[in-house]
Amino acid sequence: MKISEGFEVLVIPQEHGAYHLSLLFTETEALLVDTGNPGQEDALEKALNEAGLSLERITKIVITHHDRDHIGGLRELRRRLPKVKVWAQVDEIPFIDGSVPALKIQDLDPVFDTLPEKKQLFVTQMKKIFPSITAPVDFGLKDGDVLDFDGGIDVIHTPGHTLGHICLYHRKSKTLIAGDAMNIQEGKLIGANPEFTHDLREAATTLKRLSHYDIQRIVSYHGGIFEDHPDQAILSLTH
Ligand SMILES: [Zn+2]
């Protein structure tokens, strides 16, 4: 899905719904935001090809947070693209590179016996999968940093869903890449998924940080594209 010149949203179909990976590119560089689930690199390459691009074009990867569906392809992409550089918020890096167990494992493992069966299965799967997908990050990001890419990309630290979750604001297209800070349900903008959010209260209050930006469009990783007065819709979520 073309957002603007040099901005494509790559749609990677899933069993339920789809992931929406943002790809920003200039003539010489391409920056991918998040990497899908493990084993989905070929689907990513297909989406790139459909947009008239190749996997080899990717020079930079920014990770919004360390959940499996966002870092799953990172290790394999680093293998296929040895020169690629990777950025993430500083608090999120130890989870991405595997220095510490995933936050959801830390949250849920101590109360494993009290969890419903479905969630127990989820924790067991996470513990099995994570050691095989963690990968190094080259550079740490902080709130207020600006990535020098295609007119500038603002880094907005939006903790709540995870500790080091970030949203990115692409100045040129006035687009907010929201990661999992917001979702879209039946055409309505909603907050982070309550079932999979570390601190739901913080995930809501943190959205206030977005009020400094003139947002004309939101790309939600799980929800897709939202263009119906996004500023007002975000504001309504922070009350
Ligand atoms: Zn996600």
Side-chain angles (χ1 to χ4, degrees), residues 4 11 20 27 60 64-65 67 85 96 108-109 113 119 130 140 158 168 178 193 195 198 220 235:
S4 63
V11 183
H20 301 80
E27 268 183 23
K60 297 177 171 173
T64 61
H65 65 294
D67 282 343
K85 295 291 178 211
I96 300 171
L108 298 175
D109 214 22
D113 290 341
K119 214 139 192 184
F130 251 83
T158 45
L168 300 169
N193 182 337
E195 212 192 330
H198 171 69
S220 156
L235 201 63

Side-chain angles (χ1 to χ4, degrees), residues 66-67 92 95 100-115 119 122-123 126-127 160-163 193-200 202:
H66 73 279
D67 282 343
E92 203 69 6
F95 299 102
V100 299
L103 187 61
K104 286 187 180 67
I105 296 174
Q106 291 191 33
D107 284 347
L108 298 175
D109 214 22
V111 293
F112 187 85
D113 290 341
T114 67
L115 297 173
K119 214 139 192 184
F122 169 77
V123 175
M126 292 257 294
K127 284 167 84 172
H161 184 66
T162 65
L163 304 178
N193 182 337
E195 212 192 330
F196 294 105
T197 289
H198 171 69
D199 185 335
L200 205 53
E202 190 174 27

Side-chain angles (χ1 to χ4, degrees), residues 19 65 67 69-70 161 180 221-222:
Y19 299 161
H65 65 294
D67 282 343
D69 48 331
H70 298 256
H161 184 66
D180 282 3
Y221 191 76
H222 296 280

Side-chain angles (χ1 to χ4, degrees), residues 25-39:
F25 56 97
T26 64
E27 268 183 23
T28 51
E29 293 198 284
L31 181 152
L32 177 70
V33 184
D34 292 335
T35 63
N37 266 321

Side-chain angles (χ1 to χ4, degrees), residues 29-35 55-63 74 77-88 96 135-141 147 149:
E29 293 198 284
L31 181 152
L32 177 70
V33 184
D34 292 335
T35 63
L55 192 71
E56 289 68 33
R57 285 280 304 269
I58 299 171
T59 51
K60 297 177 171 173
I61 295 173
V62 181
I63 298 292
L74 184 57
L77 287 175
R78 287 199 78 121
R79 195 184 67 77
R80 291 195 199 182
L81 307 165
K83 288 186 188 149
V84 84
K85 295 291 178 211
V86 179
W87 282 257
I96 300 171
V137 174
D138 299 296
F139 303 108
L141 294 168
L147 288 164
F149 192 94

Side-chain angles (χ1 to χ4, degrees), residues 144-164:
D145 283 353
V146 182
L147 288 164
D148 179 19
F149 192 94
D150 190 31
I153 300 167
D154 293 273
V155 175
I156 311 158
H157 184 201
T158 45
H161 184 66
T162 65
L163 304 178

